[in-house]
Amino acid sequence: RATVAAINACMEERQIAGRQGFWTPEVKSAIAASRVKSEIEYVMAPDTIDPRQLIAEMDRLLPEDRVVFLDGGHSMFFVQTGFPSPVITTGDFACVGMGLFQGLGAAVGRPDSHVVVFAGDGALMMSLEELDTAARYKIPITIVIMNDNSYSAEVRFLEARGYPTDI
């Protein structure tokens, strides 16, 4: 209690108490302005959508009050560099397949916010059973699957080193 009281006193002294947090409109604007605008052509298979376009459309369609979770894998790079909202990622330790269950936990713990999980098809394959949990307990959540029919992070790793990717 003494520690909390000391922290509160320090915050009042520095006039920090009552602030709305770090994500002020100015900070959000500065972050959005600093994002790299990619002009790289993305090679797509027929009947697919450019992942950058998907991210832009999801940003437009989703409510502003959202909690965004990002699973590991190749798809995470498109979301991290293109999505203006802060995202919670499982990629710190190259974890793939953890985003869905973390998103479900957030949806249960934050019923006032719209929870969104972005995952690649490989990440979903590693956590598919969590869809049963979401359905059984009627957990409201938006799940966006970025399907490129491969474990793309591994494919890119192998290609960069000259290893075959067609086995």
Side-chain angles (χ1 to χ4, degrees):
R1 289 183 188 198
T3 302
V4 172
I7 291 171
N8 286 339
C10 183
M11 289 176 65
E12 286 178 23
E13 179 182 308
R14 295 182 183 185
Q15 299 177 344
I16 295 174
R19 286 190 187 172
Q20 296 300 311
F22 177 76
W23 292 104
T24 64
E26 294 81 17
V27 169
K28 287 181 182 179
S29 177
I31 291 171
S34 70
R35 293 202 183 272
V36 175
K37 306 296 188 270
S38 176
E39 299 300 326
I40 298 170
E41 186 68 27
Y42 186 75
V43 180
M44 298 181 303
D47 300 321
T48 62
I49 185 172
D50 186 313
R52 295 166 296 190
Q53 181 182 356
L54 171 68
I55 299 307
E57 287 299 310
M58 293 307 299
D59 177 45
R60 186 179 66 78
L61 295 171
L62 291 168
E64 284 191 32
D65 181 22
R66 58 192 174 206
V67 179
V68 179
F69 281 83
L70 177 57
D71 211 317
H74 185 239
S75 62
M76 71 184 286
F77 300 106
F78 295 104
V79 181
Q80 283 179 319
T81 59
F83 213 68
S85 299
V87 296
I88 301 166
T89 180
T90 64
D92 292 340
F93 299 103
C95 298
V96 178
M98 296 180 61
L100 186 51
F101 78 80
Q102 290 179 340
L104 290 173
V108 170
R110 294 277 312 269
D112 57 317
S113 294
H114 188 102
V115 176
V116 183
V117 174
F118 284 88
D121 51 325
L124 178 69
M125 191 167 59
M126 294 182 182
S127 59
L128 198 54
E129 67 280 359
E130 298 301 339
L131 293 178
D132 176 66
T133 302
R136 185 179 318 143
Y137 293 101
K138 297 178 175 50
I139 300 172
I141 190 168
T142 299
I143 304 166
V144 180
I145 305 304
M146 300 176 72
N147 182 7
D148 63 0
N149 297 309
S150 72
Y151 285 104
S152 295
E154 285 71 20
V155 169
R156 303 298 173 263
F157 178 86
L158 292 170
E159 286 175 340
R161 286 154 183 78
Y163 294 121
T165 60
D166 59 348
I167 55 173

